[in-house]
Amino acid sequence: MSSRDRWTAADIPDQAGRVAVITGANTGIGYHTAKALAMHGATVVLAVRDLDKGHSAAQRITKAHPKAVVDIQELDLSSLASVREAAAALTAAHSRIHLLINNAGVMYTPKQTTVDGFELQFGTNHLGHFALTGLLLPKMMRVKGSRVVTVSSMAHRIMAAIHFDDPQWEHGYNRIAAYGQSKLANLMFTFELQRRLAAKRKSTIAVAAHPGTSNTELTRYLPPLLRPADRLLTPLVVQSAAMGALPTLRAATDAGVRGGQYYGPSGIGEQRGHPKLVDASKQAHETELQQRLWALSEELTGITYPV
């Protein structure tokens, strides 16, 4: 293996002077993403729902790296009102935003809706991030080389489709398929955003990543039938959250990254290992579906993009 095949956090270039906004950064992959960027000089904004947990995460980062600059921003992706308030606060506080990392998510939740009436996984994982990105993008496009990195999942291949006839799962609900829909939406959003940015000849790029099988809190809603298998397989295939953060970090910082790319672990089945360029499903690349999803997302969120 070459050194580029074993990319680690040590390969992150100097981030001094850069502002990185990371959703769900108080725990798991988001926390390790924030910690690594702060360690390399970025001003990191932990955009979190629970302020107490956000402050605790910030304290852990600054204790390990006393020179780190870490801010907290309250953000509940399941509320469009909260997304608008957070975006307004972020644009007021920062003259430039170099990185937006759409990391937060929920997985396999029982049937629930957001305050706006969206199915919780689709509403949080996709629509909340769609709205936040649209509101922050005007400021990001002023910054040469800025990036929007959205975290997807291998689950975009599992029982995954965009249910245009029933996106909120009002007529029947399958938590695994609903999660797959939200993660497929993350990728379709990334590819369509990149197409629009490129058409406007913007230097801002959109990139996607997935963490493989990582040890995070996402599995707390795992269906009971899958829990025995999860306990059995965890020691064999699950990697640390710090390793799971590497594809996101490479997508966010590697000078060789190009818009529309997708990064994930290099090991068997992309479950673990150092980050590399990986392939999304054929469905994720279907332009017509991407554009239908975009139109639906604008309609549901009320957010119109400047591209």
Side-chain angles (χ1 to χ4, degrees):
M1 274 193 177
S2 70
S3 61
R4 300 302 292 165
D5 293 327
R6 295 187 62 83
W7 195 96
T8 71
D11 293 302
I12 297 173
D14 182 21
Q15 298 295 299
R18 295 170 66 81
V19 175
V21 177
I22 307 167
T23 68
N26 61 285
T27 188
I29 291 162
Y31 170 77
H32 286 282
T33 300
K35 182 178 180 181
L37 290 173
M39 183 177 72
H40 285 82
T43 294
V44 173
V45 181
L46 312 183
V48 299
R49 184 175 59 179
D50 189 316
L51 289 177
D52 289 339
K53 291 182 178 179
H55 286 295
S56 176
Q59 289 170 1
R60 294 198 305 274
I61 293 172
T62 54
K63 182 177 180 180
H65 307 286
K67 294 183 179 180
V69 180
V70 185
D71 295 331
I72 311 295
Q73 174 59 54
E74 185 173 13
L75 169 67
D76 182 355
L77 288 162
S78 68
S79 164
L80 290 177
S82 175
V83 171
R84 288 182 180 277
E85 290 171 4
L90 288 167
T91 55
H94 303 282
S95 60
R96 297 182 297 169
I97 297 175
H98 302 77
L99 285 174
L100 170 61
I101 299 180
N102 294 322
N103 163 81
V106 292
M107 182 174 78
Y108 298 163
T109 55
K111 179 74 178 292
Q112 299 176 60
T113 58
T114 70
V115 295
D116 302 292
F118 307 136
E119 186 276 316
L120 184 61
Q121 297 183 88
F122 186 62
T124 301
N125 299 353
H126 169 59
L127 293 175
H129 282 129
F130 180 91
L132 180 66
T133 305
L135 292 167
L136 295 182
L137 197 61
K139 178 152 288 194
M140 297 187 69
M141 289 193 302
R142 302 172 192 165
V143 181
K144 184 177 181 180
S146 57
R147 301 184 189 186
V148 176
V149 180
T150 301
V151 179
S152 184
S153 166
M154 292 184 293
H156 86 275
R157 300 177 182 273
I158 303 172
M159 301 174 66
I162 307 299
H163 294 247
F164 290 105
D165 58 338
D166 185 19
Q168 312 309 338
W169 296 82
E170 294 172 322
H171 306 288
Y173 180 68
N174 182 305
R175 67 174 78 185
I176 296 174
Y179 181 66
Q181 173 180 257
S182 73
K183 293 288 104 179
L184 176 61
N186 287 152
L187 281 173
M188 287 183 167
F189 161 66
T190 296
F191 299 148
E192 177 64 11
L193 175 58
Q194 175 57 34
R195 187 186 69 79
R196 289 167 177 253
L197 288 166
K200 290 289 187 180
R201 298 185 179 180
K202 299 298 183 180
S203 68
T204 302
I205 62 172
V207 192
H210 82 81
T213 307
S214 301
N215 186 17
T216 71
E217 295 180 358
L218 274 179
T219 56
R220 62 184 177 274
Y221 292 115
L222 199 68
L225 288 176
L226 298 180
R227 289 173 187 168
D230 180 63
R231 286 193 292 268
L232 178 66
L233 293 174
T234 291
L236 302 177
V237 300
V238 174
Q239 62 183 356
S240 68
M243 280 295 293
L246 291 182
T248 299
L249 287 164
R250 185 168 188 178
T253 66
D254 191 331
V257 170
R258 298 294 177 262
Q261 291 183 330
Y262 182 36
Y263 286 82
S266 59
I268 296 173
E270 299 175 20
Q271 294 189 75
R272 58 192 298 166
H274 295 268
K276 70 168 186 176
L277 193 62
V278 297
D279 295 321
S281 68
K282 181 179 178 180
Q283 182 181 200
H285 287 288
E286 292 187 14
T287 304
E288 181 182 354
L289 293 181
Q290 294 167 7
Q291 293 174 348
R292 286 185 66 190
L293 175 64
W294 191 279
L296 175 65
S297 302
E298 286 192 332
E299 177 186 345
L300 294 175
T301 63
I303 301 298
T304 301
Y305 272 59
V307 293

